[in-house]
Amino acid sequence: MQATVSLRLVLILGLLSAIGPFAIDMYLPALPQIGASLGAQVGAVQASLTAFFLSVGVGQLLYGPVSDMLGRKLPLYFGLLVFALASVGCALATSIDTLIVLRFIQGLGAAACMVVPRAVVRDLHTGHAAARMMSLLMLVFSVSPILAPLAGSGVIAVSSWRGVFWVVMAAAVLGLLLVWRGVEETRGAEARLDSSLSGAIKAYGVLMRDWHYLGLVFIGGCAMAGFFVYLAGSPFVLINHYGLSSTQYSMAFALNAIAFIGAAQFTGRLGQRFGLVPVVKVAATASGVVMASLLVYYLLGGERLAVLVGLYFVASALMGLVIPTTSVLALEEHGAIAGTASALLGTLQMLTGAAAMQIVGHFSNGKPLPMVVGMAAGALLGVALTWLTLGGAQARYAHATAGHGADPKGPQQ
């Protein structure tokens, strides 16, 4: 009976965690149509995506301490309600400026669904049990970047881009019902007495002064930045420039998601065999080489879509090794404040990606080169940060590669 309850809870938490990413990935095939419908330039439409990422990033810092002080369910109710109402507003928006503001509010709601489920897992389990529960949660969560673009293109085909927001609103309402009926409060009143806003602020201050932690966070952040640039630019490049249908675009996007998710499953095994630091060094450097090659190809006048899709498939797989492994190393020395360290890591990486997306958006013209420049810049900055941060760090993490910290999900519980 307990196993059935746990599996049901994992499915609910996984679906809640996927609501925010679903609102991103399902939205991507609609970007060109939104620009045409609202008379907006490429950069303005991309700003609606950037606004969502910014608010999700900032919101994670707020919901973590609040859920410690008030319990887990109340922030979930609040976040899902905000998300649902903002989704209705997005569906009815008549200008790009209104859409940008509402996407920002929508992201503030989605942030609760990204932070609180991880906290629920930590409340219920520790050690291997927590690792198993988190891995199942992430498996449910990982379905979003594969299925959501296809679902979005299907909704667009039978309605319009506005239909996407009605669907994500319905998902938020379903989330509210699932929280009400299927999630018990896991942080009791006694546990809340030990939590305070001042304690959270003090922990964030400790982390912001740890340059090694920040270096690792931004190695992953550079990889995320390249992905976010692709996220914002690829609908215009692949649909408008290369002439793919929204369904074909969704399949191309899903291919990259499969590469990332598939490679990420090998991080623990590779870390045990070779060490976490060498895995990061090799994967980050190889990603830089791949993206530099793609940049040179376009600078020399190349235009083949197969080259773009193929090389970015390889780069996505390498990011699947870099991002979770740097997260392990960043949290390795902050076990006492692992939840806070995880929240700050997610926020800084989200904001890095949003900033990169906004910068490249100013130069976007619907053609591949500005997008590829941004993606390559992120990868090459990541290479530089990797060697500055981890150049002599193998001995520092010797214990993490001896079986204690090789599982990339471990320190994040």
Side-chain angles (χ1 to χ4, degrees):
M1 179 64 178
Q2 182 63 35
T4 302
V5 172
S6 295
L7 180 58
R8 184 181 68 180
L9 181 60
V10 165
L11 289 172
I12 292 173
L13 295 178
L15 291 171
L16 291 173
S17 299
I19 283 178
F22 202 76
I24 299 167
D25 301 331
M26 194 175 178
Y27 174 68
L28 295 178
L31 292 183
Q33 191 181 105
I34 290 172
S37 174
L38 299 180
Q41 299 296 319
V42 171
V45 178
Q46 290 177 337
S48 68
L49 195 56
T50 304
F52 186 91
F53 281 116
L54 283 172
S55 59
V56 168
V58 173
Q60 289 184 67
L61 292 179
L62 301 175
Y63 283 111
V66 167
S67 71
D68 286 341
M69 291 184 284
L70 301 180
R72 308 307 185 196
K73 293 190 72 170
L74 188 60
L76 275 176
Y77 284 136
F78 177 80
L80 286 165
L81 183 61
V82 169
F83 183 91
L85 293 175
S87 298
V88 173
C90 289
L92 300 175
T94 56
S95 72
I96 191 63
D97 292 335
T98 301
L99 183 63
I100 290 170
V101 171
L102 289 168
R103 285 287 280 176
F104 184 88
I105 296 171
Q106 190 187 44
L108 289 176
C113 299
M114 302 189 73
V115 172
V116 177
R118 291 196 301 262
V120 171
V121 172
R122 289 197 299 273
D123 291 340
L124 294 174
H125 298 290
T126 59
H128 294 297
R132 285 194 297 270
M133 190 172 182
M134 186 65 79
S135 65
L136 288 172
L137 188 153
M138 291 305 297
L139 184 61
V140 177
F141 172 85
S142 297
V143 172
S144 174
I146 298 174
L147 297 183
L150 291 170
S153 63
V155 170
I156 294 167
V158 299
S159 60
S160 71
W161 64 269
R162 298 182 189 277
V164 170
F165 290 108
W166 289 116
V167 170
V168 297
M169 182 276 291
V173 172
L174 175 62
L176 283 167
L177 293 173
L178 290 173
V179 173
W180 175 47
R181 297 298 301 271
V183 179
E184 299 294 332
E185 179 57 66
T186 58
R187 188 168 179 83
E190 291 184 5
R192 299 175 207 172
L193 295 176
D194 297 328
S195 301
S196 67
L197 186 59
S198 62
I201 293 172
K202 186 181 297 184
Y204 285 134
V206 169
L207 294 167
M208 291 300 291
R209 292 191 297 270
D210 185 340
W211 292 106
H212 190 76
Y213 165 84
L214 292 175
L216 288 161
V217 167
F218 284 112
I219 292 169
C222 287
M224 290 285 286
F227 171 67
F228 280 23
V229 168
Y230 179 79
L231 200 71
S234 59
F236 299 96
V237 172
L238 271 63
I239 294 175
N240 289 352
H241 182 75
Y242 282 109
L244 298 188
S245 67
S246 59
T247 301
Q248 290 171 329
Y249 165 76
S250 299
M251 294 174 66
F253 186 85
L255 190 66
N256 295 321
I258 291 169
F260 181 95
I261 295 166
Q265 307 311 306
F266 293 96
T267 52
R269 190 178 305 172
L270 291 172
Q272 286 180 320
R273 181 170 182 179
F274 301 108
L276 298 178
V277 171
V279 168
V280 175
K281 288 179 178 177
V282 171
T285 303
S287 177
V289 171
V290 170
M291 293 310 303
S293 301
L294 183 61
L295 176 59
V296 170
Y297 173 78
Y298 275 99
L299 288 173
L300 293 177
E303 272 289 319
R304 291 179 62 85
L305 176 60
V307 174
L308 172 61
V309 173
L311 289 181
Y312 194 60
F313 178 88
V314 176
S316 296
L318 292 167
M319 284 192 297
L321 299 177
V322 171
I323 292 174
T325 308
T326 52
S327 297
V328 171
L329 296 175
L331 300 179
E332 185 68 27
E333 297 179 359
H334 294 288
I337 52 172
T340 303
S342 178
L344 183 61
L345 179 148
T347 294
L348 292 177
Q349 291 185 346
M350 191 74 71
L351 294 180
T352 300
M357 204 161 43
Q358 189 64 18
I359 291 169
V360 175
H362 285 298
F363 302 96
S364 295
N365 55 9
K367 296 183 179 180
L369 186 57
M371 181 184 76
V372 172
V373 169
M375 293 159 62
L380 294 173
L381 283 173
V383 174
L385 265 179
T386 296
W387 289 95
L388 285 172
T389 305
L390 297 175
Q394 181 62 27
R396 180 171 184 162
Y397 295 101
H399 65 290
T401 60
H404 298 293
D407 184 356
K409 299 180 183 68
Q412 300 182 53
Q413 312 314 317

